[in-house]
Amino acid sequence: MSRAVSITIAAAPAKSADMLVVLAGASGALSKQAKAALGAAGARAVERAANLEKFKGKMAEACMLVSPAGAPFDRVLLVGTTTEGEAKTDYAMLGGIVAGALGKVNAASVVMQTESGDVSTSDIGAFAMGVQMRTYAFDAYKTQKRDDKPALVLTLVAADVGAAKAAVK
């Protein structure tokens, strides 16, 4: 059965989120928005943990970390965005990777900013499409349908909320 996903756009991470998803650059470099969400001490702890885990920030690489003490999230998921050469970051694929990594998490916030700046609104739309594609399952002909999967509430943190909402719609 498909997992229902509710995608919202906001200017800041949701306070009810269980997990913070960060689009990390080379060697786990965090964006300004991610550092603000984690706090100065939390951001340093996450960067240190990523370094210890040998997280390089390569495209589609993921690293799950337990949040540092005092952070408002239980876990932090770092997702690499660094590509080689002229290759463009594939945000639809990243959306699928994030949706798959969330597992049993019921609420997560994704900071749609890399260390080099804000993610474009079209890429935010592609990311949301990737999430929807990953959580879809065709089950029309299954004899037993199970509704035991709770809905996923995903908050995409964007600089231009209005434009991002239009792109996701």
Side-chain angles (χ1 to χ4, degrees), residues 1-3 132-143 145:
M1 171 125 203
S2 297
R3 183 173 187 191
Q132 294 285 2
M133 290 174 65
R134 175 62 189 247
T135 57
Y136 175 78
F138 181 76
D139 59 359
Y141 299 111
K142 288 189 176 181
T143 55
K145 295 181 185 179

Side-chain angles (χ1 to χ4, degrees), residues 105-161:
V105 171
N106 295 329
S109 289
V110 183
V111 177
M112 300 303 294
Q113 185 183 64
T114 63
E115 85 278 20
S116 59
D118 294 327
V119 174
S120 72
T121 53
S122 63
D123 287 337
I124 291 173
F127 183 90
M129 179 187 70
V131 169
Q132 294 285 2
M133 290 174 65
R134 175 62 189 247
T135 57
Y136 175 78
F138 181 76
D139 59 359
Y141 299 111
K142 288 189 176 181
T143 55
Q144 294 179 344
K145 295 181 185 179
R146 295 176 32 195
D147 290 333
D148 60 353
K149 293 183 183 179
L152 169 64
V153 178
L154 194 63
T155 303
L156 304 181
V157 181
D160 187 351
V161 174

Side-chain angles (χ1 to χ4, degrees), residues 47-55:
E47 287 175 333
R48 182 174 181 273
N51 189 33
L52 290 171
E53 289 292 323
K54 302 198 182 343
F55 178 76

